[in-house]
């Protein structure tokens, strides 16, 4: 107890002693003089770094707003099934490919990759579809699960069965719901059967049967499950 009080008294004395305070200030000034160039460099680097980050953020935001405005017509063409105009533009408005090339790292380019991948998949350009779909990501669970499913489709067509199974599994397990999950599970079961994983496919069809009995896929799941159980029994 006495030691603590002694230390406290010493600290108070140091703080109240003008000579001690002056000495410490002097040491601080000397340090600043000796290291002024280093400190100036550190401060300058920090200012440049912060300025660069702010510029990048502001520039990206501006680029994104511009890209979204220019992308509007391309999305309209996509919705009207005018896929060539959607991809390449109409000579006046940019197409989705130009959006990706001209405005990289923007939200608009990210979404454009989803549209491009979907179009290439419908055109049976599976490798091109895979490239663009894998460059897409979304915080929207429904959209992301759809992207996983499309990546699974492209892989299945390319003969990458294990990759297709992985993607269909992600699609089915992302935000499970009665509307889309049974569709993705049905695709998963097809891929599992394609890979010779009969027991896994039976389990997947059973999941549809037990959890999504109101879905469109329910009847087909029961039929294919019975068929696979017959094959497994042989």
């Amino acid at each position: 107890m006495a030691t603590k009080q002694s230390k406290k008294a010493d600290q108070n004395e140091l703080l109240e002693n003008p000579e001690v305070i002056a000495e410490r200030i002097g040491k601080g000034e000397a340090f600043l003089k000796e290291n002024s160039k280093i400190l100036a460099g550190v401060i300058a680097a920090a200012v440049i770094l912060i300025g660069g980050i702010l510029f990048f953020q502001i520039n990206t935001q501006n680029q994104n707003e511009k890209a979204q405005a220019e992308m509007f017509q391309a999305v309209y063409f996509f919705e009207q099934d005018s896929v060539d105009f959607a991809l390449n533009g109409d000579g006046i408005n940019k197409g989705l490919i130009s959006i990706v090339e001209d405005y990289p790292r923007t939200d608009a380019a990210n979404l454009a990759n989803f549209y491009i991948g979907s179009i290439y998949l419908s055109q049976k350009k599976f490798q091109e579809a895979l490239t663009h779909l894998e460059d897409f990501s979304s915080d929207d669970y429904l959209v992301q699960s759809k992207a996983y499913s499309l990546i699974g489709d492209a892989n299945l067509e390319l003969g990458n069965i294990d990759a297709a199974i992985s993607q269909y599994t992600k699609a089915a397990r992302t935000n499970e719901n009665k509307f889309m999950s049974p569709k993705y599970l049905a695709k998963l079961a097809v891929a599992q059967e394609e890979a010779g994983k009969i027991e896994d496919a039976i389990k997947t069809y059973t999941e549809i049967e037990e959890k999504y009995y109101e879905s469109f896929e329910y009847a087909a799941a029961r039929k294919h499950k019975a068929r696979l159980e017959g094959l497994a029994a042989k």
Side-chain angles (χ1 to χ4, degrees), residues 68-93:
Q68 287 179 339
E70 294 188 3
M71 185 176 167
F72 178 82
Q73 188 62 41
V75 173
Y76 174 78
F77 286 137
F78 175 86
E79 292 172 346
Q80 299 300 312
D81 290 328
S82 299
V83 293
D84 186 59
F85 284 158
L87 287 173
N88 304 302
D90 60 356
I92 299 173
N93 301 285

Side-chain angles (χ1 to χ4, degrees), residues 44-171:
V47 170
I48 292 171
L49 176 62
I50 293 171
I53 292 172
L54 290 174
F55 174 79
F56 177 79
Q57 291 176 338
I58 293 170
N59 183 63
T60 299
Q61 180 62 31
N62 291 338
Q63 290 284 301
N64 188 54
E65 290 175 0
K66 185 177 180 181
Q68 287 179 339
E70 294 188 3
M71 185 176 167
F72 178 82
Q73 188 62 41
V75 173
Y76 174 78
F77 286 137
F78 175 86
E79 292 172 346
Q80 299 300 312
D81 290 328
S82 299
V83 293
D84 186 59
F85 284 158
L87 287 173
N88 304 302
D90 60 356
I92 299 173
N93 301 285
K94 286 181 181 291
L96 295 166
I97 294 174
S98 293
I99 296 296
V100 171
E101 292 175 347
D102 296 344
Y103 304 102
R105 299 182 301 277
T106 63
D107 293 339
N110 180 52
L111 184 57
N113 275 315
F114 179 83
Y115 286 121
I116 294 169
S118 300
I119 292 171
Y120 282 151
L121 192 61
S122 69
Q123 294 178 337
K124 302 186 185 304
K125 297 177 180 179
F126 303 118
Q127 188 57 58
E128 292 91 335
L130 196 59
T131 298
H132 285 279
L133 289 168
E134 287 180 339
D135 282 341
F136 170 77
S137 64
S138 175
D139 292 331
D140 186 311
Y141 292 129
L142 291 176
V143 177
Q144 186 60 65
S145 60
K146 177 65 174 177
Y148 288 144
S149 176
L150 294 179
I151 293 172
D153 292 345
N155 275 302
L156 191 65
E157 293 291 345
L158 290 169
N160 305 326
I161 310 300
D162 288 341
I165 290 173
S166 175
Q167 294 299 319
Y168 290 144
T169 301
K170 286 182 182 179

Side-chain angles (χ1 to χ4, degrees), residues 209-228:
E209 187 179 16
E210 293 179 350
K211 292 174 63 176
Y212 303 108
Y213 48 84
E214 294 180 343
S215 69
F216 177 79
E217 288 75 22
Y218 173 76
R222 292 192 66 187
K223 181 181 73 173
H224 290 301
K225 177 186 172 183
R227 175 178 58 80
L228 292 178

Side-chain angles (χ1 to χ4, degrees), residues 13-27:
E13 184 180 351
L14 288 173
L15 291 173
E16 293 172 3
N17 190 326
E19 293 180 1
V20 174
I21 294 173
E23 182 183 351
R24 292 192 174 186
I25 291 174
K27 288 181 179 179

